[in-house]
Amino acid sequence: MAVPKRKMSRSNTRSRRANWKATAVSTVSCPQCKSPKLPHTACSVCGTYNGRQVLEV
């Protein structure tokens, strides 16, 4: 297991932690009802996926 030989300085630690950012959820518009939905999932409003009805809404 890798173990650091020296203590990491505060500036290095803080600059490393500064790159941990939350990203916004990407959405696409549904081709049927034009509401925003997650990509590669069925639409929760109209229940369609890839041009066909897969959920009863």
Side-chain angles (χ1 to χ4, degrees):
M1 187 170 138
V3 178
K5 285 187 182 249
R6 300 263 184 254
K7 179 179 178 179
M8 188 174 273
S9 68
R10 268 190 197 165
S11 63
N12 283 348
T13 302
R14 289 174 180 167
S15 67
R16 185 187 72 243
R17 287 181 182 160
N19 290 319
W20 281 65
K21 296 177 186 74
T23 57
V25 177
S26 62
T27 57
V28 295
S29 62
C30 175
Q32 299 281 9
C33 64
K34 305 296 189 252
S35 63
K37 70 174 191 80
L38 292 173
H40 306 289
T41 57
C43 180
S44 59
V45 177
C46 63
T48 59
Y49 180 73
N50 202 14
R52 63 177 193 263
Q53 191 74 24
V54 292
L55 296 174
E56 262 184 55
V57 181

